[in-house]
Amino acid sequence: MLGMSVVGALILSTLVAPVDATADSAPSEKITLDIKTINGSGCPAGTATASADVASDNTSFTVRYTNFTAKAGGGVSALEGRKNCQINVLVHVPQGFTYAIAEVEYRGFAHIESGASALEQANYYFTGTSPTARVRHTFPGPFHGVWRATDTTDVAELVFAPCGESRNLNINAELRADAGSSAGGSYIEMDSEHASVDTIYHFAWKTC
């Protein structure tokens, strides 16, 4: 009986105390980012830009877009109704740490006529891994102002970059506008010319 109890305790310990536990705090060494490529219908070369900055406490980084807008109605082409922008970024991580994206705060500006609608969705993946699931955030009209949406990942579902490897992070964001039954023009955008419009990616850290 004692032997069985010891084995049972070891199995339980394995289940509740995984080796890959998240770190209690972010690394103290400064994190830096290098944007490698930017492409997509919402940020074609030469017409749009994006930038990324790391928070001073290494808990998150912010992405700001320029001219990333989806439009519908008012005589605009149907091609304007769906736009995407993919950013490929290398996060320089201190030795002994790796990271996952635990939460993302999306913000933008929109004008949506009555009868029209818009949506934002995004996912990310490390080079060589499968993309995360996309979560749709839909905004019905009438609406005019700053929109906000948040995606949160459960601890058990966090996807960490492989320890000791330089894997680029791919961020793929999409905006859509649908005129629906409206007569006027509508749009949804993530454009840094509006105050408080940016996307914040929150890190989860793990020791390797």
Side-chain angles (χ1 to χ4, degrees):
M1 290 293 292
L2 179 59
M4 293 179 63
S5 298
V6 172
V7 171
L10 288 174
I11 293 174
L12 180 61
S13 175
T14 301
L15 291 174
V16 300
V19 175
D20 294 331
T22 54
D24 293 331
S25 60
S28 58
E29 184 179 337
K30 180 63 178 176
I31 307 301
T32 59
L33 300 177
D34 286 334
I35 293 181
K36 299 299 184 181
T37 59
I38 304 172
N39 59 69
S41 58
C43 51
T47 64
T49 60
S51 62
D53 300 300
V54 182
S56 59
D57 60 0
N58 291 335
T59 59
S60 64
F61 68 93
T62 299
V63 174
R64 297 180 178 88
Y65 298 89
T66 303
N67 299 327
F68 184 13
T69 307
K71 304 175 183 178
V76 303
S77 166
L79 294 176
E80 297 298 314
R82 180 177 180 178
K83 299 291 182 176
N84 82 292
C85 184
Q86 180 159 310
I87 300 175
N88 181 281
V89 58
L90 178 60
V91 181
H92 296 280
V93 179
Q95 187 174 4
F97 284 88
T98 187
Y99 73 96
I101 302 301
E103 183 179 272
V104 188
E105 300 176 51
Y106 303 101
R107 298 188 185 97
F109 195 86
H111 172 79
I112 307 170
E113 295 282 324
S114 179
S117 64
L119 74 81
E120 174 275 332
Q121 62 181 1
N123 63 357
Y124 72 90
Y125 62 94
F126 296 105
T127 300
T129 66
S130 299
T132 59
R134 293 188 175 191
V135 179
R136 289 190 173 197
H137 300 283
T138 304
F139 307 96
F143 179 87
H144 181 83
V146 174
W147 58 266
R148 295 175 175 83
T150 302
D151 293 346
T152 303
T153 304
D154 293 336
V155 173
E157 298 178 355
L158 290 173
V159 179
F160 286 89
C163 284
E165 298 184 23
S166 293
R167 293 284 187 95
N168 289 9
L169 175 65
N170 297 278
I171 301 168
N172 189 20
E174 182 178 333
L175 297 175
R176 296 187 191 182
D178 185 347
S181 61
S182 67
S186 299
Y187 66 87
I188 181 172
E189 66 182 15
M190 288 194 282
D191 192 330
S192 59
E193 73 177 32
H194 290 284
S196 301
V197 173
D198 48 33
T199 304
I200 304 174
Y201 288 80
H202 295 272
F203 290 119
W205 290 101
K206 185 176 69 172
T207 53
C208 295

